[in-house]
Amino acid sequence: MTRVEVETPHGSARAELHSAAEGRAALLLGHGAGGGFGTEDLISTVRTATSAGVHVALVEQPYRVAGRRAPAPARQLDAAWLAVVEDLGQRWFPELPLFFGGRSSGARVACRTAEEGGASAVLCLAFPLHPPGRPDKDRGSELAGVEVPTLVVQGDRDPFGEPEPASNREVVLLPGDHSLRADTNALSRAVAEWLGRILRLLD
């Protein structure tokens, strides 16, 4: 595992790089709004992806690197993420397909930037479709804007809502809530199967 810092328009971001024995692609994962990389779903996804031959970069947004818990505005998150994507793509993952992903807020960033960043696929862990109790504040347009293959892994009791499948979007419901920690084995299987299909498409 290697840690690198990346300068972005909104301060220094940090990336934690986990190498796969056979680097067939690279998955960049973002954290939730108030959390870091210690969540069980992210840890499980890193292990699953590297075992599948996919390098992983856990991307820490500048506001977290600076010690703030409150997230930056969406446009700042997106700009910082794209700066990290460009840097890592050139320095660490040249010529490799890039997959974007993240949990909760990080999944939203991955969706919003997928087209501009040239993502080949998107992985959403616990996508926050709407704030708890506020289905009127729907964020489905962020998912709908993604045109590459997408996997959404969601708890069946997630108060942030349940996204719908679409032509290029698979939705896997697991027992549990927004944390996705109730069944990490099932999470690993879902991610592994999806990555396997995406990698075969790219071969």
Side-chain angles (χ1 to χ4, degrees):
M1 188 263 289
T2 303
R3 287 191 178 92
V4 297
E5 291 214 355
V6 179
E7 290 304 315
T8 82
H10 302 287
S12 294
R14 188 179 295 139
E16 188 176 286
L17 308 179
H18 298 258
S19 297
E22 178 193 7
R24 302 170 64 189
L27 170 63
L28 284 73
L29 286 173
H31 51 75
F37 299 137
T39 58
E40 293 180 38
D41 56 348
L42 287 175
I43 292 170
S44 175
T45 299
V46 170
R47 291 176 180 155
T48 301
T50 53
S51 295
V54 176
H55 301 311
V56 178
L58 293 169
V59 178
E60 189 172 16
Q61 285 277 355
Y63 77 92
R64 291 284 301 173
V65 175
R68 297 189 297 274
R69 286 190 63 82
R75 55 185 171 75
Q76 293 186 19
L77 296 175
D78 294 356
W81 173 268
L82 287 168
V84 173
V85 168
E86 181 177 11
D87 184 277
L88 296 185
Q90 293 176 357
R91 278 204 291 165
W92 294 91
F93 309 129
E95 310 302 323
L96 287 182
L98 298 180
F99 305 157
F100 289 7
R103 72 160 279 106
S104 197
S105 171
R108 296 182 65 195
V109 174
C111 289
R112 291 194 302 259
T113 59
E115 182 177 5
E116 186 174 350
S120 297
V122 173
L123 171 62
C124 299
L125 305 173
F127 186 90
L129 189 62
H130 57 71
R134 295 295 308 275
D136 54 307
K137 299 286 187 181
D138 185 86
R139 300 158 179 157
S141 60
E142 295 177 354
L143 274 172
V146 181
E147 298 184 353
V148 294
T150 303
L151 173 65
V152 180
V153 183
Q154 203 83 355
D156 62 1
R157 300 189 308 278
D158 192 334
F160 287 82
E162 182 182 316
E164 294 290 329
S167 59
N168 65 328
R169 184 194 318 138
E170 300 175 48
V171 177
V172 174
L173 290 179
L174 301 181
D177 55 18
H178 196 61
S179 70
L180 290 178
R181 63 177 173 230
D183 193 345
T184 54
N185 288 330
L187 169 64
S188 292
R189 286 193 299 272
V191 172
E193 291 170 3
W194 179 75
L195 282 175
R197 292 195 296 273
I198 298 302
L199 291 170
R200 284 193 294 274
L201 286 173
L202 294 174
D203 285 343

